[in-house]
């Protein structure tokens, strides 16, 4: 069984992606979130992240700079020109034309790329960072954040034209970031790190996770309700904006 690393759901279904160096990439598609069927991409590199703007259009990114896109519910997947060979770790679709992807590695080049044609072509975007990037999120076309190694948090308020560093207060790896609006957001990472901001990232405050494992993904459905998934099957939930996090079985 090849590992799955990311999932996205829309009102019309969704995708899960993953893979490994031996078996290559894997893409699973569902129209109801219950039954999942494999889709063929022809890609050999493992995939790390997937996002969708609607039920027909999606982008998946992965190792070796792979960036795939579909506009027909995944019946056909095409490879875009990402202009990089380093791993891409996360992707966000702002529409069926615009998307961002981030990646790199701790000791290698930072990668942030942007597309305005649905993933066919990508252009590199300078950030001023010198460490690998792992997670990103946009609340609208102008306002976004990227997180990565050495506690890196970058923020843009002009559609990615410029990026400014924000002080996270941590030195470990940050793996995922999620904002519910332009002010309130969360970032998670190594050693059970959870950070919260209520001022757009001008200040970040730690929240107690109760664990020391690496937390891989954070998602909020409102300003109060959120979930975090981590290593060793750790799953945390909050209903009070992260003031308390409760382990889930």
């Amino acid at each position: 069984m090849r590992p799955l690393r990311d999932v996205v759901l829309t009102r019309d279904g969704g995708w899960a992606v993953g893979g490994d160096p031996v078996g290559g990439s894997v893409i699973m598609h569902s129209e109801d979130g219950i039954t999942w069927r494999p889709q063929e991409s022809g890609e050999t590199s493992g995939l790390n992240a997937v996002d969708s703007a609607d039920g027909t259009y999606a982008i998946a990114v992965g190792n070796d700079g792979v960036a795939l896109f579909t506009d027909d519910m995944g019946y056909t997947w095409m490879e875009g020109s990402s202009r990089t060979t380093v791993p891409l770790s996360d992707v966000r679709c702002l529409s069926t034309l615009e998307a961002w992807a981030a990646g790199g590695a701790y000791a290698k080049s930072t990668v942030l790329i942007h597309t305005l044609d649905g993933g066919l072509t990508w252009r590199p975007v300078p950030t001023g960072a010198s460490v690998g990037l792992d997670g990103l999120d946009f609340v609208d076309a102008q306002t976004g954040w990227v997180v990565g190694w050495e506690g890196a948090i970058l923020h843009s308020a002009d559609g990615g034209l410029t990026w400014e560093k924000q002080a996270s207060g941590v030195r470990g790896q940050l793996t995922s970031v999620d904002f519910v609006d332009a002010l309130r957001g969360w970032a998670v990472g190594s050693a059970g790190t959870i950070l919260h901001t209520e001022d757009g990232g001008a200040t970040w405050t730690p929240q107690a996770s109760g664990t020391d494992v690496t937390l891989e993904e954070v998602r909020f459905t409102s300003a109060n309700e959120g979930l975090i998934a981590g290593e060793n099957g750790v799953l945390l939930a909050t209903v009070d904006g992260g003031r308390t996090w409760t382990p889930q079985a």
Side-chain angles (χ1 to χ4, degrees):
M1 296 288 291
R2 286 172 290 173
L4 296 173
R5 294 191 173 89
D6 198 22
V7 63
V8 61
L9 296 175
T10 73
R11 288 177 297 179
D12 301 310
W15 289 267
V17 300
D20 57 40
V22 176
S25 68
V26 55
I27 301 177
M28 304 294 293
H29 179 252
S30 176
E31 295 183 6
D32 57 12
I34 299 172
T35 303
W36 294 81
R37 297 180 178 86
Q39 292 182 332
E40 295 297 328
S41 68
E43 179 55 53
T44 58
S45 297
L47 300 173
N48 298 320
V50 61
D51 198 29
S52 175
D54 58 26
T56 61
Y57 168 81
I59 292 180
V61 300
N63 298 332
D64 304 313
V66 169
L68 307 176
F69 67 96
T70 181
D71 58 6
D72 60 5
M73 296 181 65
Y75 290 105
T76 57
W77 286 87
M78 295 159 280
E79 185 170 355
S81 174
S82 69
R83 300 185 182 182
T84 182
T85 58
V86 301
L88 294 171
S89 56
D90 203 5
V91 61
R92 284 292 177 274
C93 297
L94 306 187
S95 69
T96 56
L97 292 177
E98 185 177 10
W100 291 85
Y106 177 79
K108 296 183 180 179
S109 57
T110 295
V111 176
L112 183 65
I113 55 177
H114 183 223
T115 182
L116 288 171
D117 58 13
L120 181 62
T121 60
W122 297 79
R123 68 175 182 89
V125 177
T127 64
S130 58
V131 296
L133 302 175
D134 282 306
L136 67 126
D137 191 37
F138 277 75
V139 294
D140 55 47
Q142 297 298 309
T143 313
W145 290 262
V146 187
V147 300
W149 288 85
E150 296 185 3
I153 301 179
L154 307 175
H155 169 58
S156 177
D158 56 10
L161 292 177
T162 59
W163 292 85
E164 68 171 275
K165 295 180 180 179
Q166 295 184 332
S168 68
V170 300
R171 296 292 298 169
Q173 180 186 11
L174 294 175
T175 56
S176 179
V177 61
D178 191 49
F179 274 73
V180 294
D181 54 38
L183 296 177
R184 295 170 292 181
W186 292 259
V188 302
S190 61
T193 297
I194 304 175
L195 303 177
H196 174 55
T197 181
E198 294 187 349
D199 54 15
T203 57
W204 289 88
T205 303
Q207 293 183 336
S209 67
T211 181
D212 59 2
V213 305
T214 296
L215 302 177
E216 299 283 2
E217 196 80 20
V218 56
R219 286 293 178 269
F220 272 73
T221 57
S222 70
N224 291 318
E225 296 176 303
L227 289 169
I228 294 174
E231 292 182 347
N232 301 333
V234 167
L235 186 65
L236 307 174
T238 183
V239 293
D240 58 12
R243 287 186 290 273
T244 57
W245 288 91
T246 304
Q248 307 296 296

